């Protein structure tokens, strides 16, 4: 079957990464749109020089990945009215040559499937522990899924049916859109095929902190939007963060103060609680994700530690929502 396939790339000051992204896709799609969120480098000029349609977002309106993807998608639909499939890619990724054809073939054979994603790999997983964590994060099971990441091939009509991404969702916009697709009866699928190479470029703990904080914000906003659904969307994640990032540390601190004030030594047993979460996560990472003992241990450590910035993200969302503030993006690069 011959399909009309377009692509939407989003980015901001991606530099050489964007150039490699565009070059990896020039021969794979019929029409390409690049959406720029206020770059100060030569991203816009480079895209136009390579015959890519460019959308420069209005800087007076808060940026979000969802807004960028929506505006790119609408531009693509106007340029290609007979669009069948659209490939979404983050500007810090490179597309594998075989991906588009393989993904389109899968969608052709599975009309109930709204979108399909594959394997995302870090280009430099050993550059830092944070890049390693990203590489582990991308390693999700093959088969029917609840959501995708930022890269996927989707049916244009399925996205139009649910109105695309919600531009007010500043993090976790893909899972939120996938939730609405699944509510309409569509399926989300991950196949065993290399899709993109990603360059996280995370070298400092502050970058990791902000990225995990953004994740907590996504949990809180998602639960506020869809938490009352039968799926109880993100309610479990919010509860876990509130317990392990807030309640458990508070109890640990209280027990320490009571012990210092002359309380019984058994109060210090509370400090073993994070170890229980670490052990549970370690066993899951080793057995379910098939990680080595070394990487399972590192992954579990950062999952436990990450409950704190996730809590900060949840509280940030709740404060913004209470004050009815604009939800601005939380950047980590």
């Amino acid at each position: 079957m011959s399909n009309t396939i377009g692509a939407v790339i989003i980015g901001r000051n991606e530099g050489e990464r964007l150039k490699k992204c565009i070059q990896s896709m020039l021969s794979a799609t019929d029409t390409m749109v690049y959406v720029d969120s206020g770059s100060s480098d030569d991203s816009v000029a480079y895209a136009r020089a390579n015959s890519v349609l460019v959308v420069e977002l209005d800087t007076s309106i808060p940026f979000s990945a969802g807004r960028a993807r929506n505006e790119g998608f609408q531009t693509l639909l106007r340029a290609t009215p007979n669009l069948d499939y659209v490939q979404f890619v983050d500007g810090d990724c490179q597309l594998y040559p075989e991906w588009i054809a393989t993904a389109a073939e899968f969608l052709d054979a599975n009309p109930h499937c709204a979108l399909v994603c594959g394997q995302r790999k870090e280009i430099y997983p050993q550059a830092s522990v944070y890049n390693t964590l990203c590489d582990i994060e991308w390693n999700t099971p093959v088969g029917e899924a609840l959501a995708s990441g930022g890269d996927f091939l989707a049916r244009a009509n399925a996205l139009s049916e649910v109105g695309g991404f919600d531009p007010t969702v500043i993090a976790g916009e893909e899972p939120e859109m996938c939730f609405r697709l699944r509510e309409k009866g569509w399926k989300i699928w991950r196949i065993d095929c290399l899709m993109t190479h990603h360059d996280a470029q995370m070298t400092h703990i502050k970058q990791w902190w902000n990225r995990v904080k953004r994740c907590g914000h996504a949990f809180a906003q998602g639960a506020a939007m869809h938490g009352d659904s039968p799926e109880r969307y993100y309610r479990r994640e919010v509860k876990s963060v509130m317990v392990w990032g807030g309640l458990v540390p508070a109890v640990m601190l209280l027990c320490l103060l009571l012990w210092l004030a002359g309380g019984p030594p058994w109060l210090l047993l509370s400090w073993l609680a994070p170890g229980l979460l670490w052990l549970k996560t370690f066993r899951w990472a080793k057995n379910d994700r098939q990680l080595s003992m070394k990487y399972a241990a590192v992954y579990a450590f950062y999952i436990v530690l990450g409950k704190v910035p996730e809590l900060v993200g949840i509280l940030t969302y709740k404060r913004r929502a209470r004050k009815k503030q604009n939800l601005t993006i939380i950047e980590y690069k």
Side-chain angles (χ1 to χ4, degrees), residues 69 87-90 120 148-152 165 173-174 195:
R69 292 192 177 99
Q87 174 70 47
F88 288 91
V89 178
D90 292 341
R120 190 191 239 197
S148 69
D151 312 328
F152 57 86
F165 297 88
E173 66 280 354
E174 299 98 355
M195 179 178 59

Side-chain angles (χ1 to χ4, degrees), residues 216-217 219-220 238 241-242 310-318:
H217 194 287
F219 291 158
V238 169
V241 173
M242 297 296 286
E310 283 180 342
L311 178 63
V312 174
I314 288 175
L315 297 178
T316 298
Y317 169 76
K318 290 184 178 296

Side-chain angles (χ1 to χ4, degrees), residues 83-333:
L83 184 70
D84 294 306
Y85 301 146
V86 53
Q87 174 70 47
F88 288 91
V89 178
D90 292 341
D92 55 3
C93 293
Q94 299 172 41
L95 200 71
Y96 278 95
E98 301 84 4
W99 165 250
I100 291 282
T102 303
E105 183 179 350
F106 181 86
L107 290 180
D108 288 345
N110 296 274
H112 59 283
C113 187
L115 64 86
V116 59
C117 51
Q119 297 173 347
R120 190 191 239 197
K121 298 285 187 181
E122 281 300 316
I123 299 177
Y124 307 111
Q126 304 303 323
S128 70
V129 65
Y130 314 114
N131 278 15
T132 300
L133 292 171
C134 280
D135 200 50
I136 294 172
E137 180 183 326
W138 308 142
N139 182 27
T140 53
V142 170
E144 187 173 355
L146 295 178
S148 69
D151 312 328
F152 57 86
L153 185 72
R155 295 183 190 278
N157 66 321
L159 296 191
S160 296
E161 181 181 340
V162 298
F165 297 88
D166 187 330
T168 67
V169 178
I170 67 161
E173 66 280 354
E174 299 98 355
E176 192 279 328
M177 184 192 68
C178 287
F179 170 83
R180 288 183 283 113
L181 284 167
R182 290 186 286 105
E183 288 275 281
K184 293 286 187 178
W186 290 101
K187 301 292 185 182
I188 314 299
W189 217 268
R190 186 176 301 278
I191 60 175
D192 188 13
C193 177
L194 293 174
M195 179 178 59
T196 48
H197 254 147
H198 179 256
D199 188 1
Q201 215 172 57
M202 285 203 300
T203 57
H204 304 290
I205 192 169
K206 184 179 179 180
Q207 293 174 295
W208 171 83
W209 177 280
N210 285 334
R211 189 172 185 271
V212 180
K213 174 184 173 182
R214 187 178 69 171
C215 184
H217 194 287
F219 291 158
Q221 187 176 10
M225 296 172 68
H226 306 299
D228 292 333
S229 67
E231 184 178 309
R232 298 177 64 82
Y233 183 74
Y234 277 162
R235 290 283 290 272
R236 178 176 176 274
E237 287 80 359
V238 169
K239 181 179 178 181
S240 173
V241 173
M242 297 296 286
V243 169
W244 291 102
L247 179 61
V248 169
V251 170
M252 291 167 58
L253 179 59
L254 177 61
C255 288
L256 176 63
L257 293 175
L258 290 173
W259 175 72
L260 291 174
W266 59 259
L267 289 169
L268 296 181
L269 290 174
S270 63
W271 283 72
L272 297 176
L276 298 177
L277 178 60
W278 178 90
L279 182 60
K280 177 183 177 181
T281 308
F282 169 79
R283 293 177 63 181
W284 174 83
K286 185 173 179 294
N287 297 328
D288 289 29
R289 287 290 184 92
Q290 299 295 304
L291 297 180
S292 67
M293 292 188 65
K294 172 186 175 181
Y295 286 119
V298 171
Y299 178 79
F301 172 79
Y302 278 95
I303 288 295
V304 175
L305 185 62
K307 297 299 181 182
V308 177
E310 283 180 342
L311 178 63
V312 174
I314 288 175
L315 297 178
T316 298
Y317 169 76
K318 290 184 178 296
R319 173 178 54 79
R320 289 173 165 181
R322 186 178 65 253
K323 295 183 177 180
K324 294 181 169 52
Q325 297 176 331
N326 288 329
L327 300 182
T328 55
I329 59 175
I330 300 173
E331 296 187 272
Y332 71 91
K333 293 183 182 179

